């Protein structure tokens, strides 16, 4: 389907198709495999291209973009595997090499054809090559996991919270104390729109209604709301 490419500029990032495209393509594969009495060789060749594309959209955990497309895609791949299954004892050997001394061999035969085999790559980034010999079908996937620090943005508000008194040295403060909240708009405009300040009480404390009602005398405070352990303060700007 026509659409915009995802606006992601990350190293090694391979954009995946939207969930709807994976699901629709999986339905096409299921339909192609339903030919009675059995799919022809030409239809199986066509189906193999679809299965290859669906496999390329699979994430490192075995799923896809959503629950819906994962269920349909796995059903289609399973159906494709059932149709193309052969009981022959053909075996394949996959050799993974790097430019250095690293080499890893994977043997795939009838005894372990459904077993996941994996190895960590010793150096990333690096150049690796694979060589496959023998007969049969092998699904090879590489996955790279890394963290990207989020961009730091200037917050439009500053918030400072303190207790009065600041310490619980006074025995009275063990039962009753004030919460001081200083909120300032620091954005690019002259003022903000309506702001809601949500104050959650410390464990074991509840807001004193009379002290909260006094807040409404302030000219920019539109109203307040109370619950068991929350105080909501609505500021006009």
């Amino acid at each position: 389907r026509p659409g915009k490419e995802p606006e992601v500029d990350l190293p090694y990032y391979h954009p995946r198709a939207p969930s709807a495209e994976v699901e629709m393509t999986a339905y096409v594969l299921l339909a192609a495999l339903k030919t009675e009495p059995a799919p022809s060789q030409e239809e199986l060749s066509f189906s193999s291209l679809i299965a290859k594309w669906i496999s390329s959209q699979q994430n490192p955990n075995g799923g896809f973009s959503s629950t819906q497309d994962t269920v349909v895609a796995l059903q289609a791949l399973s159906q494709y595997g059932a149709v193309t299954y052969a009981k022959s004892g053909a075996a394949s050997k996959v050799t993974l090499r790097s430019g250095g001394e690293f080499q890893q061999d994977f043997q795939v035969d009838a005894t372990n054809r459904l077993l996941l085999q994996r190895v960590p790559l010793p150096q990333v980034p690096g150049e690796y090559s694979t060589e496959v010999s023998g007969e049969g079908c092998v699904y090879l996937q590489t996955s790279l996991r890394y963290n990207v620090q989020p961009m730091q943005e200037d917050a439009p508000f500053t918030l400072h919270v303190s207790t009065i008194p600041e310490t619980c040295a006074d025995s009275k403060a063990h039962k009753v104390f004030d919460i001081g909240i200083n909120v300032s708009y620091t954005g690019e405009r002259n003022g903000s729109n309506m702001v809601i300040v949500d104050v959650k009480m410390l464990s074991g404390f509840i807001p004193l209604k009379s002290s909260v009602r006094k807040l409404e005398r302030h000219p920019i405070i539109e109203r307040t709301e109370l619950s068991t352990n929350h105080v909501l303060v609505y500021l006009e700007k």
Side-chain angles (χ1 to χ4, degrees), residues 76-217:
L77 291 177
S78 300
Q79 185 69 31
Y80 174 77
V83 171
T84 58
Y85 175 78
K87 293 184 178 180
S88 65
S92 303
K93 179 182 178 182
V94 180
T95 302
L96 176 64
R97 294 190 181 93
S98 71
E101 299 179 353
F102 173 76
Q103 177 175 325
Q104 177 71 37
D105 294 330
F106 298 98
Q107 189 75 19
V108 181
D109 52 39
T111 62
N112 65 355
R113 62 191 302 170
L114 298 180
L115 180 67
L116 171 65
Q117 302 182 59
R118 61 183 180 182
V119 63
L121 301 180
Q123 186 176 0
V124 178
E127 292 188 9
Y128 296 89
S129 63
T130 57
E131 181 181 330
V132 184
S133 59
E135 298 180 3
C137 180
V138 176
Y139 176 39
L140 177 67
Q141 182 188 52
T142 58
S143 61
L144 177 66
R145 302 176 185 271
Y146 59 96
N147 294 320
V148 177
Q149 289 280 34
M151 298 293 292
Q152 295 294 327
E153 298 181 358
D154 294 332
F157 292 92
T158 60
L159 175 65
H160 178 72
V161 182
S162 61
T163 60
I164 307 172
E166 290 188 0
T167 65
C168 291
D170 185 357
S171 59
K172 181 183 177 182
H174 294 180
K175 296 182 179 180
V176 180
F177 60 86
D178 291 338
I179 300 176
I181 301 173
N182 190 315
V183 184
S184 301
Y185 173 68
T186 57
E188 298 177 354
R189 297 182 297 180
N190 293 330
S192 70
N193 294 325
M194 175 174 282
V195 176
I196 301 176
V197 181
D198 183 356
V199 186
K200 183 180 179 181
M201 300 293 104
L202 292 174
S203 178
F205 287 84
I206 60 172
L208 192 62
K209 291 184 180 180
S210 58
S211 66
V212 175
R213 297 303 178 205
K214 291 179 182 178
L215 296 175
E216 296 182 356
R217 300 174 187 172

Side-chain angles (χ1 to χ4, degrees), residues 16-36:
R16 290 194 177 94
S19 175
E21 292 187 9
V22 174
E23 184 179 351
M24 287 191 298
T25 307
Y27 278 125
V28 172
L29 178 56
L30 284 170
L33 297 172
K34 290 293 184 182
T35 306
E36 297 293 345

